[in-house]
Amino acid sequence: MQKKNAKNESTRGWQHFVAVVLALSSHGTWAKELMGLMQAYEAARSYDPVFKGAQAVRDEGREHQTIGQAKLLPVISGVVSSNQNQSRVTEANGRTDNRGRYASNTSSLQLRQPLYDREAWAAKEQGVARTAASEALFRFREQELMVRVFEAYSKALLASEEVRLVEAQLQSADELLRANEQRLMQGEGTRTDTLETRSKQALIQAELIVAQDRAQHALDALQSIVGRPVKQLERFTSRGGTTSAPGALDDWRSKAFDTNPEVESLKHNLEAARHEVSRAKSGHYPRLALIVSVGNNESDTTSTYRQSSQTTTVGVQLNVPIFAGGSVSAQSRQAVAQLVKAQADMDARVAELEVELHRQYSAQKNGLLRIAALESAVATSYALIEATQRSFTGGERTNVDVLNAQERLAQSVRDLTQARYEQLLAGLRLRHLAGVLDEADLREVASHFGQGRK
């Protein structure tokens, strides 16, 4: 009877372990209150400090167009002054006129409209380019948020599932240790088997501590994005594959250069740099402005004492630059150098995007093959652990063989889960780099997650 109990202890341990592992690999979950991927994304849109900063940069950039446009619009200004004066006037014949204390008042209204101003026109075009650049960069940050949320979400989910795997390994080791101790008491087992199992149990306990810390850190990272406590996450529940094969690489490269918002922003920045060159060189050109003014004066000078006048003036003003100490030429050279740098920055970033695009393309495409291989590995590891357990019960295998088979199955499931998440993440990054990622794509990814079985 005691021999049978020892075998039952060992059998229950590996059966529980396999049940937990298969539940994770077949996408089950036991959580009651879950945060879904789309919930996390909506929370991040409202809280994430990085995204809020991107919104502020966009709002600031929108004003460049208004500021530039204002350079071409009329400027209207008014001046009103009131003074108390004390005056004594001495004429050429020596006669003195002591006028005592009196008040003088002046008011004027002036309109100035640029008629020819190359700097103002360049500033207007530059403002349009800068506003367009900020709008494009915000779209890039908006798409980037989807990638960051899923990356943090999948890392937190993977870390929590790793904790469950290690916990299952530890429980199986506990059951196997009890079985070893019973077999030792019955005279069938050896002290070596017990020590080996106890050593393996201690190593798994240490691994569990590391896994729990890693899971907490991953949850903290997700919480820093969504701004709320996260306890449980929806697990992967898809029965089919993940995202499909990405298509031709050249098509994605074409999309990346034509529709990537970051590249678009860099193109607008390059355009703004060209207008900065025009603005700097405009210092060599004259300016022509229409000026209309209306003024009211009352005793504003000693010669107009006790007199009031109203004056309306319409005219043009021509400002011709002659010499500015070389500052205009220096500013022009600075602007040209900035233009060269803007072109170099764009070329460097496009080259980086092409490399990253190829990497994510390969990750998504090869990810499907890797998932299929790992699914086969999980099935093989499951069959191996059953065969090893039967051999152990029959005395042909040792408890170390059983523990190694369990560890191999856990590692296969962990690798499979990680491969699924990485393949989904590669798909999002690929669409992000191509500039075509939107919420519909994120909802498609979210459809692979759910509450699953309880």
Side-chain angles (χ1 to χ4, degrees), residues 27-91:
H27 329 306
T29 182
W30 294 266
K32 294 181 179 180
E33 296 181 0
L34 306 174
M35 172 178 279
L37 178 59
M38 294 307 297
Q39 290 176 303
Y41 172 66
E42 293 299 331
R45 284 188 65 90
S46 302
Y47 174 80
D48 180 49
V50 176
F51 186 66
K52 282 189 173 182
Q55 289 176 319
V57 171
R58 176 203 59 186
D59 294 340
E60 180 268 340
R62 284 176 172 173
E63 303 304 326
H64 286 299
Q65 183 170 351
T66 302
I67 294 172
Q69 181 69 35
K71 300 289 186 179
L72 295 175
L73 297 178
V75 176
I76 301 176
S77 60
V79 178
V80 176
S81 65
S82 178
N83 303 292
Q84 290 294 324
N85 309 286
Q86 185 170 353
S87 175
R88 186 176 63 178
V89 179
T90 301
E91 297 179 1

Side-chain angles (χ1 to χ4, degrees), residues 66 105 108 209 245 251 255 263 276 317 339 412 422 435:
T66 302
N105 302 292
S108 64
I209 294 172
D251 293 339
K255 288 179 182 178
V263 175
E276 178 63 22
Q317 184 181 74
L339 175 61
S412 297
E422 287 179 350

Side-chain angles (χ1 to χ4, degrees), residues 244-252 255 361-362 364-365 368 430:
S244 58
L249 177 60
D250 289 339
D251 293 339
W252 289 102
K255 288 179 182 178
Y361 176 87
S362 299
Q364 188 187 18
K365 187 174 182 180
L368 295 173
L430 182 63

Side-chain angles (χ1 to χ4, degrees), residues 47-253:
Y47 174 80
D48 180 49
V50 176
F51 186 66
K52 282 189 173 182
Q55 289 176 319
V57 171
R58 176 203 59 186
D59 294 340
E60 180 268 340
R62 284 176 172 173
E63 303 304 326
H64 286 299
Q65 183 170 351
T66 302
I67 294 172
Q69 181 69 35
K71 300 289 186 179
L72 295 175
L73 297 178
V75 176
I76 301 176
S77 60
V79 178
V80 176
S81 65
S82 178
N83 303 292
Q84 290 294 324
N85 309 286
Q86 185 170 353
S87 175
R88 186 176 63 178
V89 179
T90 301
E91 297 179 1
N93 58 8
R95 181 174 174 271
T96 299
D97 182 8
N98 190 357
R99 297 178 179 179
R101 187 180 298 274
Y102 67 95
S104 63
N105 302 292
T106 62
S107 61
S108 64
L109 183 67
Q110 185 184 78
L111 179 147
R112 183 184 183 90
Q113 170 63 58
L115 298 178
Y116 180 80
D117 192 333
R118 292 172 65 95
E119 180 180 4
W121 185 258
K124 181 258 184 186
E125 295 297 327
Q126 189 179 50
V128 172
R130 285 179 173 175
T131 294
S134 65
E135 292 284 0
L137 185 59
F138 176 73
R139 292 198 303 274
F140 180 81
R141 299 303 180 201
E142 200 170 27
Q143 294 180 19
E144 185 180 58
L145 178 65
M146 302 181 202
V147 176
R148 289 195 298 113
V149 168
F150 179 74
E151 184 174 11
Y153 187 95
S154 61
K155 284 183 178 180
L157 188 53
L158 180 63
S160 67
E161 291 174 348
E162 185 176 359
V163 170
R164 291 189 60 83
L165 284 170
V166 179
E167 287 175 341
Q169 284 182 274
L170 182 59
Q171 184 170 350
S172 179
D174 292 341
E175 298 286 349
L176 185 58
L177 180 60
R178 283 193 291 269
N180 289 152
E181 290 173 344
Q182 289 184 12
R183 288 166 65 89
L184 183 61
M185 292 174 59
Q186 296 164 9
E188 291 185 345
T190 65
R191 183 169 177 77
T192 301
D193 289 340
T194 303
L195 292 175
E196 286 177 342
T197 305
R198 188 167 291 154
S199 175
K200 189 68 174 179
Q201 181 193 48
L203 291 174
I204 296 174
Q205 287 175 336
E207 185 180 351
L208 178 60
I209 294 172
V210 174
Q212 289 172 337
D213 286 343
R214 190 181 298 116
Q216 186 58 55
H217 295 160
L219 278 178
D220 291 343
L222 178 59
Q223 288 172 175
S224 69
I225 297 177
V226 302
R228 66 177 64 173
V230 179
K231 295 182 179 180
Q232 298 289 344
L233 302 172
E234 289 184 350
R235 298 183 185 275
F236 192 84
T237 58
S238 179
R239 292 292 177 181
T242 52
T243 53
S244 58
L249 177 60
D250 289 339
D251 293 339
W252 289 102
R253 283 174 174 166

